[in-house]
């Protein structure tokens, strides 16, 4: 028996090399038109710009916190572009690229990190659940939702519904994630588990989370697992499409491990220089998802310099909009504290709200009387 | 039509009626299917509603509550059975950080009509972790409603009200009272039932208010019966969150005394919260401090000692006597 299975290097599904060369994979064919490729590139660039602006806004004191997706754009954009409108996605808290594809306004993403809301959008409007902070909790929500899809008879056909849930390498250590794998397996639920293995759970490297490659966990629960090059937007798109189709057809769950790298800090509160070496960062810079797609597009005539310049200009405009929108987000009303805790009246809360409203009003009265 | 039912059978009948009325109502938990639950509360539901609506889950409490949240997000109304009080704890994260908070997190866009049924309390000679009264943890968590029943009539109606509620409801079932019987009018309309959030005067009296809920209501009624020196008014609280303070304070203002009894440890308990509130709102009506009669601040003891640990008739009467010592 091998005692170092975590260090075995499994093969990645890769359709686009870091040098921008296209590869074909027999199990995951991908036939994209030039427009679709340009669309993917645009998404990657724009969502990176949203992320860059958000980090800057946090440094300027406009956000309390930000969890950067830098480096993980391809994993998110590729997988999210594989979704159909009726599919439901459950993110953790770093899925800004998924949110972008699902049509959530960047300002609504920033709102949570600014502290003006704990949510930011209506999940039903975007078929994107709210960000979930407690690690791995959303894997069970997705699995339960998928069990509901099953009960609705919404799987089986090509127009069926599938569910995808995003989580990180750290989440695979949580009981909830393992319970979700098991609930999904025994129920054959139509859910795709999309793990972005970005190598670090704050300061803890993958070898502190798992002795086996993460995609292999699936086999123990009885469903397929596959590792993809998470910095390859084509592989992310092709494999997720396949996994969603697998779920849609009623064949049950699949696990995708997107092997990627978190280029920035865990959040803006983190200092990765304390726990990882610069050489590692340099190595992953060469695998950048945007550079490789751009190299492919330029070499194959998918886009010209005008296109790249236009996308850059669009990113500049988007960046400005993000800055303006963020600063314009109003602070909530103090009585918002009491809102929407319960759907129906709750006597204790009603009393506390009334008392607090009176208390706040007393300052206005004091003001009207010329102060105390 | 009136039917004589045990509390267990009344909950079963209430579940059945809710499932017949709404195809989105599901029952899920460990052993709830063919076995009908370890207390048989879901008896025959699997046979009549099938495996898609009566779901035998893997043995994982966090998974039960977590997937119930997902089912609710998809439009279902799951009723989860947590097999015993002491087995709830693996599900605390899903309950406290997710189930309770999701409506607030979504600014009202999401409702989670999930019911957690938890058989609770002691007095059945069980081994460790099968006799606990964890209701204060839930009452302390905003976003949850917490109720408990003391008789078959409430059991039948309140389980249906809990299922109908758009909010998550923790439904505590007093396991040592599962076999207590009462006549239940099973054909009345649901909206004619006493509201889920309201307390009820279980026995009127004039000298002291004795407040109880769940398994202790029966003991409180026995105490009122046994005490020929005082006219004891017994209030069955029914709802632990929210507390129906209108009913409680109206009674205390009349009687001038309040004794609260529950099976849970007294420190930080539901009784402590009610005592503080009543002291604040009824200070000039009180003839004595609010007295609490509960369990000790210890782990639930081995069953050969539980008769000393659980507040019994004598300890409740002692509490009443203390309220008259001032």
């Amino acid at each position: 028996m091998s005692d170092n299975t975590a260090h075995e290097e499994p093969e990645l599904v890769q359709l686009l090399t870091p040098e921008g060369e296209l590869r074909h994979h027999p199990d995951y064919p991908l036939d994209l038109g030039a427009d679709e490729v340009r669309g993917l590139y645009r998404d990657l660039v724009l969502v990176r710009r949203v992320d860059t602006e958000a980090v800057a806004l946090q440094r300027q004191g406009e956000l309390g916190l930000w969890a950067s997706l830098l480096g993980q754009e391809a994993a998110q954009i590729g997988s999210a572009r594989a979704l159909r409108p009726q599919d439901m996605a459950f993110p953790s808290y770093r899925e800004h690229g998924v949110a972008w594809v699902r049509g959530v306004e960047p300002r609504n993403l920033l709102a949570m990190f600014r502290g003006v809301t704990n949510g930011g959008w209506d999940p039903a409007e975007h078929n994107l659940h709210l960000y979930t902070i407690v690690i791995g909790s959303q894997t069970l929500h997705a699995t339960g939702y998928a069990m509901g899809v099953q009960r609705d008879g919404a799987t089986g056909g090509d127009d069926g519904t599938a569910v995808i849930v995003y989580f990180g390498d750290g989440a695979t250590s949580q009981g909830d994630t393992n319970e979700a794998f098991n609930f999904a397996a025994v129920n054959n639920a139509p859910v795709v588990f999309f793990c972005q293995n970005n190598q670090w759970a704050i300061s803890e490297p993958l070898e502190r989370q798992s002795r086996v490659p993460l995609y292999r966990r699936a086999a123990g629960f009885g469903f397929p697992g596959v590792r993809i090059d998470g910095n390859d937007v084509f592989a992310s798109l092709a494999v997720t499409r396949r996994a969603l189709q697998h779920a849609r057809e009623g064949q049950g769950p699949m696990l995708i491990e997107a092997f990627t790298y978190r280029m920035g800090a865990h959040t803006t509160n983190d200092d990765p220089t304390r726990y990882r070496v610069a050489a590692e960062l340099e190595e992953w810079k060469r695998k950048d998802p945007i550079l490789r797609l751009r190299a492919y597009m330029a070499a194959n005539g998918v886009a010209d310099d005008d296109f790249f310049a236009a996308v850059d200009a669009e990113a500049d405009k988007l960046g400005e909009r993000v800055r303006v929108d963020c600063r314009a987000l109003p602070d909530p009303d103090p009585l918002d504290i009491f809102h929407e805790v319960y759907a129906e009246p709750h006597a204790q809360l009603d009393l506390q709200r009334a008392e607090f409203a009176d208390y706040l009003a007393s300052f206005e009265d004091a003001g009207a009387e010329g102060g105390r | 039509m009136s039917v004589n039912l045990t509390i267990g059978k009344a909950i079963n009948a209430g579940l059945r009626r809710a499932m017949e009325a709404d195809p989105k109502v599901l029952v899920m938990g460990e052993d709830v299917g063919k076995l009908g639950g370890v207390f048989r509360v879901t008896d025959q539901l699997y046979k009549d509603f099938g495996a898609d609506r009566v779901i035998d889950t893997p043995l994982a409490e966090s998974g039960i509550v977590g997937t119930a949240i997902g089912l609710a997000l998809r439009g279902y109304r799951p009723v989860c059975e947590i097999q015993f009080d002491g087995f709830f704890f693996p599900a605390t994260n899903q309950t406290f950080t997710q189930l309770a908070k999701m409506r607030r997190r979504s600014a009202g866009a999401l409702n989670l009509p999930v019911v957690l049924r938890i058989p609770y309390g002691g007095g059945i000679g069980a081994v460790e972790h099968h006799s606990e009264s964890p209701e204060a943890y839930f009452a302390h968590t905003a976003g949850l409603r917490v109720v408990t029943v003391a008789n078959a009539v409430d059991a039948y109606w309140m389980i249906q009200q809990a299922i109908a509620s758009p909010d998550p409801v923790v439904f505590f079932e007093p396991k040592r009272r599962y076999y207590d019987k009462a006549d239940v009018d099973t054909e009345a309309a649901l909206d004619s039932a006493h509201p889920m959030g309201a307390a009820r005067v279980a026995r009127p009296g004039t000298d002291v208010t004795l407040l109880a809920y769940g398994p202790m209501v029966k003991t409180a009624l026995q105490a009122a019966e046994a005490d020929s020196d005082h006219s004891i008014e017994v209030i069955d609280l029914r709802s632990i969150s929210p507390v129906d303070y209108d009913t409680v304070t109206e009674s205390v203002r009349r009687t001038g005394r309040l004794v609260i009894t529950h099976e849970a440890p007294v420190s930080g308990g539901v009784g402590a919260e009610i005592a503080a509130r009543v002291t604040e709102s009824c200070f000039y009506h009180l003839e004595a401090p609010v007295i609490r009669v509960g369990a000790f601040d210890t782990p639930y003891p081995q069953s050969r000692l539980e008769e000393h640990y659980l507040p019994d008739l004598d300890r409740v009467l002692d509490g009443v006597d203390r309220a008259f010592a001032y």
Side-chain angles (χ1 to χ4, degrees):
Chain A
M1 189 189 124
S2 167
D3 64 356
N4 63 343
T5 45
H7 305 294
E8 290 176 20
E9 284 299 325
E11 196 181 333
L12 298 169
V13 175
Q14 187 184 68
L15 302 183
L16 187 64
T17 69
E19 294 73 34
E21 288 163 13
L22 204 58
R23 284 183 181 172
H24 290 281
H25 192 290
D27 297 335
Y28 304 102
L30 189 68
D31 185 19
L32 294 177
D35 279 354
E36 288 171 291
V37 175
R38 286 192 291 262
L40 290 171
Y41 178 83
R42 179 178 169 271
D43 282 342
L44 293 173
V45 170
L46 295 186
V47 77
R48 179 171 288 185
R49 179 58 71 94
V50 171
D51 189 75
T52 307
E53 293 296 343
V55 171
L57 285 162
Q58 194 280 335
R59 296 300 183 225
Q60 293 160 19
E62 298 291 343
L63 301 178
L65 187 77
W66 182 253
S68 169
L69 65 36
L70 187 65
Q72 299 178 222
E73 296 89 348
Q76 296 188 15
I77 297 297
S79 60
R81 282 289 170 210
L83 295 169
R84 295 183 186 163
Q86 72 271 20
D87 295 335
M88 184 69 189
F90 286 81
S92 64
Y93 48 75
R94 201 190 295 282
E95 273 67 71
H96 318 315
V98 181
W100 168 262
V101 172
R102 292 311 253 178
V104 175
E105 275 293 319
R107 70 168 169 277
N108 292 344
L109 275 182
L110 269 56
M112 173 180 157
F113 293 93
R114 188 173 167 86
V116 303
T117 172
N118 286 333
W121 58 91
D122 180 351
E125 202 177 304
H126 302 278
N127 271 359
L128 177 74
H129 189 67
L130 300 172
Y131 277 5
T132 298
I133 292 176
V134 180
I135 302 297
S137 295
Q138 75 279 7
T139 59
L140 281 168
H141 307 160
T143 302
Y145 191 94
M147 289 165 64
V149 169
Q150 266 179 325
R151 277 158 182 74
D152 291 344
T155 53
D158 204 43
D159 58 350
T161 297
V163 181
I164 191 167
V165 56
Y166 292 89
F167 53 99
D169 39 302
T172 63
S173 298
Q174 288 279 355
D176 274 6
T177 304
N178 290 275
E179 291 187 21
F181 288 167
N182 197 39
F183 270 68
V186 301
N187 288 292
N188 211 41
V191 55
V192 174
F193 294 104
F194 195 96
C195 175
Q196 289 169 82
N197 174 2
N198 69 15
Q199 314 298 323
W200 293 92
I202 309 187
S203 71
E204 294 198 10
L206 183 63
E207 54 266 31
R208 298 304 303 158
Q209 306 298 333
S210 184
R211 186 160 159 170
V212 297
L214 297 178
Y215 77 98
R216 277 199 210 151
R217 296 274 182 95
F221 290 93
F223 55 87
V226 58
R227 177 180 277 187
I228 66 169
D229 180 341
N231 286 14
D232 169 359
V233 71
F234 290 166
S236 180
L237 175 61
V239 176
T240 309
R241 263 189 192 165
R242 172 76 188 278
L244 289 166
Q245 194 59 25
H246 181 87
R248 221 184 291 286
E249 288 167 0
Q251 296 185 62
M254 250 183 92
L255 170 64
I256 298 170
E257 177 193 0
F259 199 79
T260 180
Y261 193 78
R262 183 238 298 156
M263 296 297 286
H266 164 67
T267 69
T268 44
N269 281 346
D270 174 37
D271 175 10
T273 64
R274 292 174 72 106
Y275 55 82
R276 64 185 192 189
V277 295
E280 189 177 289
L281 205 62
E282 290 306 313
E283 184 194 329
W284 279 93
K285 266 186 190 166
R286 289 195 293 273
K287 301 175 183 172
D288 185 82
I290 296 181
L291 293 182
R292 77 170 73 174
L293 184 59
R294 183 173 174 143
Y296 161 77
M297 292 166 75
N300 292 276
V302 180
D304 55 18
D305 287 346
D306 286 350
F307 170 78
F308 294 120
V311 172
D312 286 344
E314 193 181 355
D316 288 343
K317 279 184 79 172
L318 176 63
E320 186 183 347
R321 179 157 68 87
V322 168
R323 293 193 296 273
V324 170
D325 285 358
C326 176
R327 294 192 174 97
L329 285 167
D331 281 349
D333 182 275
L335 290 177
D336 179 74
I337 291 168
F338 301 94
H339 291 169
E340 311 295 1
V341 180
Y342 295 94
E344 295 187 317
H346 187 282
Q348 268 80 82
L349 206 57
D350 293 348
L351 180 67
Q352 288 181 5
R353 173 169 40 212
E355 287 172 351
F356 188 56
D358 286 348
Y359 174 75
L360 291 175
S362 73
F363 291 96
E364 289 164 20
D365 295 345
E369 291 161 14
R372 285 189 269 194
Chain B
M1 192 183 74
S2 223
V3 190
N4 195 248
L5 294 174
T6 63
I7 286 180
K9 295 273 189 204
I11 297 168
N12 177 272
L15 286 170
R16 173 176 292 278
R17 181 161 149 170
M19 294 180 83
E20 282 167 351
D22 182 354
K24 295 292 189 184
V25 176
L26 308 173
V27 167
M28 57 194 288
E30 297 158 12
D31 308 301
V32 298
K34 284 184 181 164
L35 181 67
V38 293
F39 290 103
R40 309 292 184 266
V41 171
T42 58
D43 190 34
Q44 302 297 313
L45 298 178
Y46 179 88
K47 180 171 76 68
D48 295 335
F49 295 100
D52 270 359
R53 294 190 65 195
V54 182
I55 307 168
D56 268 329
T57 65
L59 218 154
E61 286 76 13
S62 189
I64 293 169
V65 178
T67 53
I69 290 169
L71 281 157
L73 292 172
R74 182 70 190 181
Y76 287 85
R77 304 183 92 84
V79 183
C80 304
E81 178 172 304
I82 303 296
Q83 204 155 62
F84 281 93
D85 35 60
F87 304 164
F88 163 76
F89 296 105
T92 46
N93 168 52
Q94 284 292 342
T95 304
F96 294 166
T97 75
Q98 306 299 314
L99 181 64
K101 304 291 191 284
M102 213 173 272
R103 179 182 169 80
R104 166 77 190 160
R105 187 173 302 146
S106 72
L110 303 174
N111 282 338
L112 289 181
V114 175
V115 178
L116 304 185
R117 292 182 38 240
I118 308 178
Y120 84 123
I124 63 165
V127 296
E128 198 182 7
H129 311 304
H130 289 69
S131 305
E132 297 175 14
S133 297
E135 63 271 18
Y137 299 116
F138 297 87
H140 196 66
T141 301
L144 302 175
R145 292 178 188 278
V146 186
V147 301
T148 181
V149 297
N151 59 62
V153 174
D154 278 351
Y156 179 72
W157 292 113
M158 284 171 74
I159 188 64
Q160 294 178 64
Q161 291 168 326
I163 292 167
S165 171
D167 290 317
V169 179
V170 183
F171 189 88
F172 279 110
E173 301 173 5
K175 67 172 88 82
R176 68 171 150 139
R177 308 296 189 207
Y178 263 142
Y179 305 98
D180 288 4
K181 286 187 164 183
D183 288 333
V184 183
D185 176 3
T186 56
E187 286 175 7
L190 181 57
D191 58 11
S192 68
H194 198 61
M196 184 174 75
R200 188 191 338 244
V201 177
R203 176 191 162 114
T206 54
D207 299 341
V208 57
T209 301
L210 176 57
L211 187 149
Y213 54 81
M216 287 306 295
V217 173
K218 185 173 186 175
T219 310
L221 287 167
Q222 288 167 343
E225 188 72 29
D227 187 344
S228 51
D229 296 337
H230 307 109
S231 168
I232 299 178
E233 175 149 303
V234 176
I235 289 180
D236 176 0
L237 191 66
R238 299 169 86 251
S239 176
I240 293 168
S241 178
V243 169
D244 174 9
Y245 281 108
D246 290 345
T247 298
V248 176
T249 55
E250 189 280 325
S251 174
V252 173
R253 286 186 176 127
R254 266 192 294 105
T255 63
R257 289 178 172 83
L258 176 61
V259 177
I260 303 167
T261 185
H262 52 55
E263 284 192 19
V266 290
S267 293
V270 172
E273 171 63 25
I274 296 173
R277 284 274 184 166
V278 168
T279 303
E280 199 175 336
S281 57
C282 302
F283 187 70
Y284 293 107
H285 297 269
L286 285 169
E287 304 286 341
V290 179
I291 303 291
R292 287 169 294 159
V293 182
F296 310 115
D297 296 335
T298 67
Y300 198 89
Q302 53 274 50
S303 61
R304 290 298 175 104
L305 291 175
E306 69 181 342
E307 65 176 292
H308 299 288
Y309 177 83
L310 290 172
D312 63 2
L313 181 59
D314 287 338
R315 274 179 52 202
V316 172
L317 287 170
D318 178 65
V320 170
D321 286 346
R322 279 193 280 142
F324 283 97
Y326 290 87

